Amino acid sequence: MKYKQLTLEKRYQISALNKLGKNQTFIANEIGVHKATICRELSRNSLPKYSAEAAHVIAKIRHKKKPRKIRLTQPIKVYIGQKLKEHWSPQQISGRLHVDKNLFISHETIYPHHLNSPTVYNSVFFKAQFWDGRSPHLADQAQGSVQAGPEMATPPKLVEQRITSIPAYMKEFKGAYGDDVKVDFKRITSTIAIFEKTLVTPSRYDDFLNGKADALNKKEKEGMKVFLNKGCASCHNGIALGGSLQPFQIASQYKFMKVGDFKGND
């Protein structure tokens, strides 16, 4: 749902109906907007009480301060290209451009192919992290997510300050690593990675590989033979039957190569 700016007239209506004690659903229906718009409007502007004029002025100020997407200039493109070669994620680059250069450039502008995030389950078995394999291991992946602009957008020093300021966290770190532990950004993200390594999902197929012959039924065993005889295991291999980031078109031409924004092995 796209948010539409409220006019001053609408805000006068909200003020009048609010003073009459009408609920948010009634106000929304009366002036023709979504209930969430009324909820957001009142929650933002009701201290000490709602004022249409004040709310309208504040909204204009907020709108002017709203980040605007910037067109990529050649120097910015060079900067982005350099960071990508250094294996920075688009989210890290976006966040760094914001912090260092006060530029608001979406990570989707930097890397516009809209790949979905892979599952964290069984990711400990993958040779690299993210769809394009830009991160070599889970601790590195955690560092990227924490600093990424669209996600947490938090510089390492701020992460350290916040974690070390919470007694409960410090107690847990000392319990795990000893009283003299240095809780820095590297330690924090490596600890996240250690947790992620526990997110594994053993299956009946694992039981079969471990020698339990009846773990798979007849149909499943037939399917496994097809999988092996057709050569699927040449790409889908390893402990997790995947995660090795094989390039496209090893077996045959990929028929969806020119569909949408797909860029092959780029």
Side-chain angles (χ1 to χ4, degrees):
M1 180 181 68
K2 189 174 181 180
Y3 177 69
K4 188 176 181 180
Q5 294 292 328
L6 289 169
T7 64
L8 181 56
E9 181 183 358
K10 295 276 189 188
R11 288 191 163 97
Y12 277 129
Q13 290 178 289
I14 292 172
S15 179
L17 292 170
N18 188 49
K19 287 178 181 178
L20 291 173
K22 302 299 182 181
N23 62 39
Q24 294 177 5
T25 302
F26 180 92
I27 297 173
N29 292 335
E30 190 70 17
I31 69 173
V33 298
H34 195 278
K35 179 184 174 181
T37 300
I38 302 300
C39 178
R40 179 168 50 243
E41 177 71 7
L42 293 176
S43 64
R44 282 176 172 176
N45 303 292
S46 290
L47 293 176
K49 62 180 181 179
Y50 183 80
S51 166
E53 294 90 345
H56 200 64
V57 171
I58 292 170
K60 284 186 174 181
I61 295 172
R62 188 186 300 116
H63 187 67
K64 286 182 179 179
K65 289 183 177 180
K66 186 178 180 181
R68 300 292 190 270
K69 288 186 178 180
I70 297 174
R71 191 173 184 178
L72 294 182
T73 62
Q74 188 58 32
I76 296 175
K77 289 180 180 179
V78 171
Y79 176 87
I80 291 172
Q82 178 185 349
K83 294 305 180 184
L84 287 173
K85 287 181 180 178
E86 294 173 4
H87 303 292
W88 284 40
S89 72
Q91 289 89 347
Q92 285 176 301
I93 298 171
S94 175
R96 188 52 56 189
L97 284 169
H98 180 192
V99 172
D100 291 348
K101 303 179 183 295
N102 198 32
L103 297 176
F104 298 91
I105 299 176
S106 168
H107 69 289
E108 293 181 352
T109 301
I110 297 170
Y111 192 71
H113 309 315
H114 310 294
L115 297 179
N116 294 324
S117 298
T119 177
V120 72
Y121 288 109
N122 301 311
S123 57
V124 62
F125 303 126
F126 300 162
K127 291 183 178 180
Q129 304 301 321
F130 296 112
W131 283 115
D132 55 4
R134 64 180 179 268
S135 190
H137 49 71
L138 286 172
D140 183 78
Q141 180 271 330
Q143 290 183 13
S145 298
V146 170
Q147 297 177 83
E151 297 175 63
M152 297 177 69
T154 312
K157 287 297 181 184
L158 182 56
V159 174
E160 294 171 2
Q161 290 170 11
R162 287 180 174 173
I163 294 298
T164 55
S165 71
I166 301 174
Y169 279 161
M170 291 304 298
K171 181 180 178 181
E172 294 294 334
F173 272 103
K174 289 179 180 180
Y177 298 106
D179 291 339
D180 298 327
V181 61
K182 180 182 178 181
V183 182
D184 55 14
F185 187 65
K186 184 177 180 181
R187 175 75 68 182
I188 293 166
T189 50
S190 67
T191 302
I192 293 173
I194 291 171
F195 165 71
E196 290 179 327
K197 290 177 181 179
T198 68
L199 302 178
V200 296
T201 58
S203 68
R204 290 185 292 108
Y205 183 69
D206 293 293
D207 295 335
F208 179 81
L209 293 179
N210 288 326
K212 189 177 180 181
D214 60 350
L216 299 180
N217 61 38
K218 183 179 178 180
K219 287 288 185 181
E220 290 168 337
K221 290 177 182 178
E222 291 175 357
M224 184 182 68
K225 288 181 181 179
V226 173
F227 178 85
L228 295 172
N229 293 336
K230 291 290 185 179
C232 303
S234 60
C235 293
H236 298 274
N237 50 43
I239 190 170
L241 295 181
S244 55
L245 297 172
Q246 299 288 348
F248 283 99
Q249 304 193 116
I250 284 183
S252 61
Q253 185 176 3
Y254 185 57
K255 65 180 181 178
F256 300 111
M257 181 66 75
K258 296 183 179 180
V259 174
D261 196 41
F262 180 74
K263 302 297 180 184
N265 294 323
D266 294 340

